[in-house]
Amino acid sequence: QGEKMKVACPECDERFELDVNEFDQGDTAECPECSAELIVFVKKGKLGVKTPKASYYDSELEEQLYEED
């Protein structure tokens, strides 16, 4: 039996559980309430979800930060 972790959908704020052993960084999950496609991320050993749009902006920001070095 896997360890479950609660996450909140950024689209509709529905809280649902993901199995820690089934999801890794970059996997996709679907919100059971609004069916939004979400990207799973891992931060400090905890799972979270964000929209693909938010994921795109994060990677853009990271690229800009690296370019400034």
Side-chain angles (χ1 to χ4, degrees), residues 11-57:
E11 295 288 327
C12 71
D13 287 332
E14 173 72 14
R15 295 194 176 276
F16 60 99
E17 293 184 336
L18 294 179
D19 189 321
V20 175
N21 298 319
E22 288 183 25
F23 291 94
D24 288 315
Q25 179 86 21
D27 286 352
T28 56
E30 187 175 285
C31 174
E33 185 64 29
C34 72
S35 299
E37 183 183 317
L38 305 168
I39 308 285
V40 176
F41 66 90
V42 182
K43 195 176 229 176
K44 297 182 182 169
K46 296 182 185 275
L47 293 180
V49 290
K50 57 188 171 186
T51 61
K53 197 183 295 179
S55 181
Y56 171 78
Y57 287 125

